Structure formats: structure tokens, C-alpha cells
Amino acid sequence: MRKSNLKIGEILLYAGKISPNQLELALAEQETSNKKLGEILVEKGWVTPNDIVEVLEYQLGFPRVDLTRYEINPQVATMLPESIARRHKVVPIDIKDGKLVVAMVDPLNFYAVDDIKLVTKMDIEPVIATEPDVEALINRYYTGHMAKRVLEQIPNHTYDELDEAEEEEAEVASAPVVRLINSLFERAVRMRASDIHIEPYTEDIRVRFRIDGDLTEIMRLPKSNLSAIVTRIKIIGRMNIAEKRLPQDGRVETSIDGREIDMRISSLPTIYGEKLVIRLLDKSSFNFTKEKLGFSEHNLELFNNILKQPYGMFLATGPTGSGKTTTLYTVLRELNTVDKNVITIEDPVEYKLEGINQVQVNVKAGLTFASGLRSILRQDPDIIMIGEIRDNETAEIAVRAAITGHLVLSTLHTNDSPSTIARLIDMGIEPYIVSSAVVGIVSQRLVKVLCPKCKEKYSATYDEKKMLGADVGQDLELYRPVGCNACNAGYRGRMAASEIMAINEEIRRLIDAGATTDVIRQAALNAGMVTLFESAADLAKQGLTSFEEVMRVSFTLG
């Protein structure tokens, strides 16, 4: 391996991609690690995966393949054992003229070529692909293939055939079931799913992943496997396997591909059996800063000015799944310093943050948002985060904390920022207290981000330009989703479209006077507020999202 890596280093040096000193440092680090030279150079930021592919293509003549657009032969893709594919970062993609076409990150890895020949008994035609593309393809094909193989080994039983004791002994101990569930979890994490839905029906079980906000069907399983699957997942979540008639909740923390994953499990009895939903929270991916939330420069400036306030209430609003909690956690990370006492009360605690005192609501034990908040105020807090303001009692305590020297962060379910004021007043808070307590409100929606590898440019129509607020007399280029191996139907990831309303003296006066939401909205617009629709439209004009996504966001605004 060292020989092939050294050649890559020499080629990169010859091509002017790295300096002699960088090569020497990378080789020295390789001596004390199991990493490849190219991997070390990429980690240090001295080259990119594309740089490596480029020099191998032009210097040595290996053909380059864009796996996101290549027509992959699914029968060929899993010809190698997953262990070999992952170890050497290779994946078969086709058979041409009797040769196995193999996408490789390092085509100079002769050990990998020998291993592939030994396993497949075929001659190899190496092609070059970037490491992220190869890994994405391995994740896409191997986990699903493994699940199908495992299914064949699971004993067949009807859902009601076994009693609880027999299920625990016979099914849960079954190694194939364990492998199936592990494979399902691994596939979900690698596909960036936020939720797994396991839904029983008359003849089979439907498995869907929620990816970038949309549910996608992944597979169908025989109905005879339901008992084993439900029991195994319940045991993982420390739930009662004997109780099938009532909903249950469970939770487990695990590690998948070296990433810490927090799984929330919910079971629900249906007429066809128990439906399971597993929420996946990747703790290692939560490293947002304010700059990474997707705010425009203008909104980021408004946001920073609000957070400079020493006390008051800052609210994040929007429907479920709009990123409110992520925004609040990002604010907490920014404000969490050694000289501040930061306490949260949440239901549930989404992420554990070092240096912050986090409290979990426990209604059965009498610990509600309101009772917990009263106790928190006796703990000498500087900053308080309330997971959600759900009732008048919690709202009353929160606003009074905000006007007595505490910075209070919380969420509400409202359509936009100006209507949040009316919502607080409807909850029984006097207008003069609302105007004194609230310092800023951010309302947001998550829009899907177009895949940068396959998005397609086109000229906007007259109607599209008009609806986006663009000059209809000027050309406007937009992008539409296409779909490739690296994305989910043309989209990959999501970002926030946001509307930030800072409470100034004019808006306070209007609140005190009982002004309508429309009047407050106009005052906020005069003060520089950018609406949610305008924020989403700007993302489309920048080529980050599609016109269809902007329209979807606009329909949620009521």
C-alpha cells in the first residue's frame, strides 16, 4: 500500500497540487496512522478529492466516472463482499467486454485489484471516482442487499401466532432479526434519514425513511416478520414487549459508523399490528454556528443585534419540523460562557450540551414546563431556554422572567413573526407585558436544497419571475431538480428560509395600543424585516432551491 500511496504523492507533487514539505509531512503522519496518503492530504485541506481524481485521470490515463450520473448495474454493484468494498473504497458498476468495471478512489492500489480479481474471478477495468461518490454508492446498494439476504433466514410466524414468552425466547434471540434491524438503522443513518417508519398492512410491512422532510419507501417486508421486528426494536428501546394494546415510547443511544445516534422509538397499535416510528438524532452532526443556519447577511445582522440584548424574550416560531429547536440550540451554544448560568427545560431533551443544565419534563412525576420553570427561577439563572410555550401558565412565568433580568428563549407554533404577538395576547398575556418582554422573533421554514451535482439550469418563465418578485423584463436563471445517485429526487439537505422581526420602539407602541397583526407587520417591514416568502425566493434566485420549493413554503403561510 505504501508503494502505491507514494506514487500518488509523487504525481500530486509533479502536478503542482502539493509542495515537497506537505508531502513530507503527510508521509510522516502516515507512518503513525492507518490512513492513506490521499486521505491525509484531503483532511489537511491541501488537496480536494477532485484534485486527486484529476491528476490520476490526466497523468496516468485512468478514465474518470461521475457516479452520480452513471447508469449503475444493480446486479453487479454487490458482487464484492461489503468488507472488501469498504476497506479498499471500491464498487463494481458494470461489465464491459467481459471485464468488471470497478470504480476506485485509488486505482494504483494493486492490492485492491488483486483482491477483486480473486473474489470475482474476472479481469478488472479500473475507473476513477471521488471518495464521497464511492461511499455513497456503497451505502446505497450494500445495506439494502444485506437486508434482503437476512430476511430469507428469519423464521416465519404470523403476528399473533406466538405468545409473549415464546416471542422473547425464539424471535429476539434470532441472529437474523438482529442483523436485519442493525442493517436498517445503518442504512437510515447513511441515507441521512431523520425518521424510520415501520408500518404493517394486510399482506406486508412497509418501511419508509423520512429524508429531507419527505417520506420515501425503502422496502416491503413479509408480514410474517412483524412479530420479530417489533419485539427486537422494543427490547432495544427498553419497552414492554408484552404490551401490544397501548402506545409506548422508548429511547436508546448507539453508535453507527462512528457517529453517536440518539434514537427515539414510538409504538402505536393499529388494526394490522403495531406501527413503529424511530426518530434518529445524529449528535455528531450538531455543530451549527449562526452563520450556518442559512440566514442572509441582512437577517444575520438583525439576529446578532437581538442576541446582544442582556435580557428579554427571544422566540422561534413555525410548524413542527421547521428547525426551531436547532436555531435555539445554536443560540445557546453561542451564549454559553463560563460566566453565565444557562438552564433549559425541554420535552424531550434533543441534544446534550456541555456546560448547560438541561431538565427533562416528566409530567407523570409532576414536572411540567410551568412547575419546572418556577424551580429554575430559584436557581439564579442568566439564560433560560423553554422547549415550548404550550399554555397560559408557562407563558405568564416566561414573560415575567424576561422582564426581571433574564434572557428567555422559547418556541411557539405560529405562521409568521408578527402573528406571534397576537398569539401571546390570546394566551392571556397583557399587551404592555408582551411589549416589554419580547425583544425579537424569528419565524422559519425548511426548504430543500438542490443537489449541486445534478441540478439543471433553465430560464425562468414570465409567471415565475412575476411570482418571485423579479423584474419580468430581465432574464432570470433558475434551477430545477433532476435526481442522481448522490441525492434524493434532486435534493440533498435542507436550509432555513427565515423572517426576523426585531421589536423596536415603534412596534412596542403599536402593541401597547392594541394594533392589529397587519399594522404590526407593516411597521416591521418598514424597519427592514424580510418576509418568509422573500427569503425563500432569494434562495431560488441564488440557485440553492427550486421554484417549486418556494411555492410550497408560500402555501404553508396561510
Side-chain angles (χ1 to χ4, degrees), residues 4-173:
S4 65
N5 278 334
L6 183 57
K7 286 183 178 179
I8 287 179
E10 290 174 344
I11 293 169
L12 290 169
L13 180 63
Y14 176 78
K17 298 292 185 181
I18 58 174
S19 67
N21 184 52
Q22 289 172 334
L23 176 58
E24 185 177 342
L25 291 172
L27 287 171
E29 182 172 330
Q30 189 189 24
E31 295 289 348
T32 59
S33 69
N34 294 322
K35 296 178 181 178
K36 296 180 180 179
L37 187 67
E39 187 179 345
I40 294 171
L41 292 169
V42 170
E43 284 181 357
K44 291 187 174 295
W46 294 336
V47 297
T48 66
N50 278 329
D51 288 333
I52 295 176
V53 170
E54 184 180 304
V55 297
L56 290 174
E57 180 183 14
Y58 289 107
Q59 298 292 333
L60 300 181
F62 286 108
R64 177 179 185 173
V65 171
D66 183 354
L67 295 182
T68 62
R69 296 178 180 272
Y70 195 89
E71 186 87 26
I72 309 296
N73 185 335
Q75 281 72 40
V76 171
T78 53
M79 285 180 64
L80 287 177
E82 184 177 358
S83 58
I84 291 179
R86 291 195 183 279
R87 182 168 71 249
H88 293 310
K89 292 184 171 59
V90 298
V91 61
I93 58 174
D94 208 350
I95 295 177
K96 288 184 178 179
D97 301 324
K99 291 184 178 181
L100 184 64
V101 181
V102 181
M104 306 180 67
V105 174
D106 179 8
L108 295 175
N109 185 348
F110 303 115
Y111 299 108
V113 173
D114 290 342
D115 284 349
I116 298 168
K117 285 183 178 179
L118 187 65
V119 171
T120 63
K121 306 292 191 286
M122 296 182 69
D123 289 331
I124 307 303
E125 182 181 325
V127 296
I128 313 170
T130 63
E131 186 170 340
D133 287 352
V134 169
E135 289 185 346
L137 207 59
I138 291 173
N139 292 339
R140 179 178 292 270
Y141 282 103
Y142 279 90
T143 48
H145 182 67
M146 176 185 175
K148 291 177 183 177
R149 293 202 316 269
V150 169
L151 279 173
E152 299 170 359
Q153 306 171 38
I154 299 178
N156 288 328
H157 297 288
T158 62
Y159 181 64
D160 295 316
E161 185 177 297
L162 300 178
D163 62 27
E164 288 82 2
E166 289 173 323
E167 284 178 7
E168 182 175 6
E169 182 178 351
E171 303 287 16
V172 177

